[in-house]
């Protein structure tokens, strides 16, 4: 294998259980993203200001003592893995590290393994005749003690260069965790290889692409939750709901990132909308004989044409069609979250989902999707993170943003009927009697409330640092 080598001595940084955040360099988004983590990170970065209530007296002192306790029980190689986690996952590393018990380590290693796989796929300097076998075989490297790859040009290449440290900690996990991580790594690698030279054409292919990129992450995490015994077996067994969790996040990413992707020469909006979408039987346009109809190609000759002002009406019609398709996963999201019993797992899963529906609400019928970056408000992001700690609050948030979308639906929008239908279903699901759901409202320990406040504080710190860097860069360019 070109670039593969035996394990060399890696320089091990002095481990810091870093809950502060160092922003990464500004580079184009990789083709494959770990969707749940990615959307959560972006949401965290939107929160720039935290009130004094977010940082109570003694807050950081309490956090530091927890960090030192964690460090003392870790091996040197595991500490290095957490260094890599903080380097490659930005602020959302804090959410992973807030998980309970041994699940925290399993999810950390799961993330790093998929980050390494993602780095191989995203590295355009690796020729296809090398990359395709690597993606297909990557899961086998978990059991090859000395395998590493030293020829990557990607910014996260350290996870490949020091992969023996990651694979060592993978092999130190319980067998149940290893089986899940290896299986998901294998399936994702095969899917990545399949889409290397394949564009997303039909809605069915869009669902499949999102399954490989994000649905499998949801499936893997769910199986890890159940393997940890923190959640019931059905959470890991119901792969349909877990897949929907991932698809909802990834479709939101793709919709929001239209301009960035097209400017970088990437196209993830589906070209054709099948009347038999794999994810849901939503018929957007009524025609006889179940004909295959275009998605964006019914509105423009090229996907990038949507950025032209004269194409705005067509662009918004296509945008709203795709938002409607993404919203079909929300009932599954509600069903999935309602099953969770562990507070740290609930927070880990709920925050990205509420960020996603808030983002979709901002994107729906919004011309800015084709002109710039659509963001949720900074204070809004803090509020979502603070509030999304119980099922009742999450249902309220979902109902709020689905109502916002409802109010934006145009009388002339081609997808109007289907949009209104799925919004009605979501409203019904999100306003179920709370007596039928286990409530966490009165059972939150101070530790979990502190964790929520920590996330808000991190958000404020991260964005202030990022904004300062961006301003400095702008000043330099102006000179």
């Amino acid at each position: 294998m070109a670039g593969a080598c035996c394990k060399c001595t890696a320089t091990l940084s002095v481990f810091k259980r870093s809950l502060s955040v160092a922003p990464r360099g500004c580079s184009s988004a990789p083709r494959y993203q770990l969707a749940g983590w990615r959307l959560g990170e972006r949401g965290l970065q939107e929160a720039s200001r935290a009130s004094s209530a977010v940082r109570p007296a003694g807050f950081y002192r309490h956090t530091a003592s927890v960090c030192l306790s964690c460090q003392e029980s870790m091996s040197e190689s595991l500490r290095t893995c957490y260094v890599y986690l903080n380097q490659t996952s930005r602020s959302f590393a804090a959410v992973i590290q807030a998980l309970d018990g041994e699940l925290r380590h399993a999810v950390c290693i799961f993330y790093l393994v998929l980050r390494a796989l993602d780095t191989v796929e995203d590295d355009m300097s690796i020729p296809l005749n090398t990359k395709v076998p690597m993606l297909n075989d990557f899961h086998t490297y978990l059991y090859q003690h000395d395998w590493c790859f030293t020829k990557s040009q990607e910014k996260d290449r350290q996870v490949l260069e020091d992969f023996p440290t990651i694979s060592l900690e993978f092999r130190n996990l319980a067998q149940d965790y290893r089986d899940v991580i290896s299986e998901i790594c294998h399936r994702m690698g095969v899917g990545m290889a399949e889409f290397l030279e394949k564009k997303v054409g039909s809605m069915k292919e869009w669902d499949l692409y999102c399954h490989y990129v994000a649905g499998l992450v949801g499936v893997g995490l769910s199986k890890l939750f159940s393997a940890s015994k923190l959640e019931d077996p059905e959470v890991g067994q119901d792969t349909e709901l877990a897949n929907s969790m991932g698809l909802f996040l990834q479709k939101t990413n793709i919709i929001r990132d239209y301009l960035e992707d097209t400017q970088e020469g990437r196209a993830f909006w589906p070209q054709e909308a099948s009347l038999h979408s794999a994810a849901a039987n939503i018929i957007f346009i009524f025609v006889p004989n179940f004909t295959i109809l275009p998605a964006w190609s019914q509105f423009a000759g090229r996907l990038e044409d949507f950025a032209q002002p004269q194409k705005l009406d067509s662009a918004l019609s296509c945008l709203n069609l795709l938002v409607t398709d993404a919203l079909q996963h929300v009932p599954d999201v509600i069903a999935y979250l309602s099953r969770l019993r562990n507070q740290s797992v609930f927070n880990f899963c709920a925050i990205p989902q509420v960020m996603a529906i808030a983002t979709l609400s901002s994107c729906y019928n919004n011309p800015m999707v084709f002109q710039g970056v659509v963001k949720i408000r900074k204070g809004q992001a803090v509020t979502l993170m603070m509030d999304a700690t119980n099922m009742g609050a999450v249902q309220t948030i979902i109902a709020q943003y689905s109502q916002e979308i409802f109010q934006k639906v145009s009388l002339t929008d081609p997808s109007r009927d289907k949009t209104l239908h799925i919004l009605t279903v979501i409203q019904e699901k999100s306003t179920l009697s709370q007596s039928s759901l286990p409530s966490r409202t009165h059972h939150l320990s101070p530790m979990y409330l502190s964790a929520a406040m920590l996330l808000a504080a991190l958000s404020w710190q991260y964005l202030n640092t990022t904004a300062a860097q961006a301003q400095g860069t702008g000043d330099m360019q102006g000179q």
Side-chain angles (χ1 to χ4, degrees):
M1 179 72 65
C5 68
C6 292
K7 182 177 181 180
C8 53
T9 303
T11 302
L12 300 178
S13 305
V14 177
F15 175 72
K16 296 181 180 179
R17 168 71 152 71
S18 175
L19 291 179
S20 62
V21 184
R24 297 167 65 184
C26 298
S27 60
S28 62
R31 179 180 182 184
Y32 277 83
Q33 295 283 355
L34 308 182
W37 289 303
R38 178 189 181 196
L39 192 61
E41 287 171 12
R42 290 210 178 191
L44 289 171
Q45 295 164 26
E46 294 307 319
S48 65
R49 295 184 180 274
S51 67
S52 58
V54 172
R55 291 171 282 135
F59 174 69
Y60 294 113
R61 182 169 62 253
H62 168 74
T63 301
S65 65
V66 173
C67 299
L68 291 173
S69 174
C70 291
Q71 289 182 57
E72 291 172 357
S73 63
M74 290 183 184
S75 65
E76 187 176 41
S77 56
L78 186 55
R79 293 178 184 181
T80 302
C81 287
Y82 277 97
V83 170
Y84 294 154
L85 174 65
N86 281 280
Q87 289 174 348
T88 59
S89 70
R90 295 178 284 181
S91 52
F92 207 72
V95 184
I96 295 176
Q97 292 170 119
L99 290 168
D100 286 344
E102 64 183 20
L103 177 62
R104 180 189 312 118
H105 300 325
V107 174
C108 172
I109 300 305
F110 184 44
Y111 177 90
L112 291 177
V113 168
L114 297 189
R115 172 57 62 197
L117 178 66
D118 178 71
T119 302
V120 170
E121 193 283 334
D122 193 51
D123 193 334
M124 301 306 293
S125 69
I126 304 175
L128 286 179
N129 61 357
T130 299
K131 183 183 292 188
V132 171
M134 284 181 68
L135 293 174
N136 285 320
D137 297 339
F138 201 87
H139 66 291
T140 66
Y141 305 151
L142 294 168
Y143 290 99
Q144 297 180 26
H145 295 212
D146 297 331
W147 186 90
C148 63
F149 187 77
T150 59
K151 293 187 177 181
S152 175
Q153 304 299 314
E154 288 296 298
K155 60 184 179 302
D156 292 333
R157 58 186 176 272
Q158 70 268 31
V159 294
L160 290 172
E161 293 171 347
D162 194 23
F163 195 75
T165 296
I166 298 170
S167 66
L168 171 63
E169 286 304 322
F170 163 82
R171 294 188 297 275
N172 287 339
L173 294 173
Q175 184 67 49
D176 286 348
Y177 294 139
R178 296 201 305 271
D179 290 345
V180 171
I181 295 172
S182 179
E183 176 198 357
I184 298 301
C185 180
H186 184 197
R187 294 168 63 185
M188 185 175 288
V190 171
M192 287 180 170
E194 177 182 339
F195 275 91
L196 272 178
E197 296 184 291
K198 177 181 179 180
K199 290 185 177 181
V200 178
S202 67
M203 295 293 283
K204 182 177 181 180
E205 288 175 336
W206 198 38
D207 287 334
L208 182 61
Y209 168 79
C210 292
H211 167 72
Y212 285 141
V213 179
L216 286 174
V217 177
V219 171
L221 286 170
S222 300
K223 290 185 176 183
L224 293 178
F225 299 156
S226 293
S228 71
K229 310 301 182 185
L230 295 177
E231 297 296 346
D232 295 335
E234 69 174 351
V235 171
Q237 292 167 358
D238 195 336
T239 56
E240 182 177 350
L241 291 187
N243 185 60
S244 274
M245 291 279 286
L247 263 61
F248 182 57
L249 298 181
Q250 184 63 15
K251 288 181 178 182
T252 301
N253 288 338
I254 290 172
I255 291 167
R256 178 198 56 206
D257 293 344
Y258 161 84
L259 189 62
E260 178 184 350
D261 285 337
T262 55
Q263 288 176 342
E264 295 294 331
R266 300 185 296 260
F268 299 121
W269 283 27
Q271 183 172 0
E272 295 179 340
S274 170
L275 296 186
H276 289 299
S277 174
N281 294 320
I282 293 183
I283 300 178
F284 292 104
I285 304 173
F286 295 94
V287 296
N289 303 322
F290 301 100
T291 306
I292 300 298
L293 293 178
W296 62 257
S297 60
Q298 72 174 300
F299 302 108
R302 300 180 308 159
L303 182 58
E304 52 268 34
D305 290 346
F306 286 147
Q308 300 175 7
Q310 63 269 29
K311 293 287 186 179
L312 180 59
D313 289 344
S314 296
L316 291 176
S317 294
C318 186
L319 168 65
N320 295 342
L321 182 152
L322 294 183
V323 170
T324 300
D325 179 75
L327 287 171
Q328 69 186 299
H329 299 291
V330 174
D332 282 350
V333 169
I334 295 171
Y336 181 96
L337 293 176
S338 69
R339 289 178 174 175
L340 300 180
R341 298 293 177 264
N342 178 269
Q343 187 67 55
S344 72
V345 172
F346 184 87
N347 294 348
F348 179 87
C349 295
I351 290 174
Q353 301 295 331
V354 296
M355 293 290 184
I357 195 162
T359 300
L360 279 185
S361 177
S362 295
C363 288
Y364 186 83
N365 211 42
N366 187 350
M368 278 303 298
V369 171
F370 308 99
Q371 301 166 9
V373 179
V374 176
K375 297 180 180 179
I376 58 176
R377 297 186 305 275
K378 299 166 185 177
Q380 181 183 5
V382 172
T383 300
L384 289 172
M385 288 184 290
M386 295 289 287
D387 288 350
T389 56
N390 65 84
M391 196 61 216
V394 168
Q395 286 180 299
T396 299
I397 292 168
I398 291 174
Q400 170 193 337
Y401 287 110
S402 61
Q403 181 62 29
E404 283 189 9
I405 297 172
F406 186 91
Q407 294 172 352
K408 299 176 186 178
V409 178
S410 167
L411 290 172
T412 59
D413 187 84
S415 306
R416 171 183 169 84
D417 290 344
K418 295 304 173 183
T419 306
L420 295 178
H421 173 73
I422 189 58
L423 289 173
T424 300
V425 172
I426 292 170
Q427 287 284 350
E428 291 173 353
K429 296 288 185 181
S430 59
T431 55
L432 291 174
S433 171
Q434 294 303 303
S435 62
S436 65
L437 295 169
S439 174
R440 296 177 180 79
T441 305
H442 304 293
H443 302 285
L444 296 179
S445 72
M447 179 177 68
Y448 291 121
L449 293 176
S450 295
M453 290 187 288
L454 172 61
L455 292 177
L458 281 171
S459 308
W460 168 74
Q461 178 185 10
Y462 184 95
L463 199 75
N464 279 348
T465 305
T466 306
Q469 284 196 347
Q471 183 176 1
T473 301
D475 293 342
M476 291 176 61
Q477 291 175 345
Q479 296 173 0

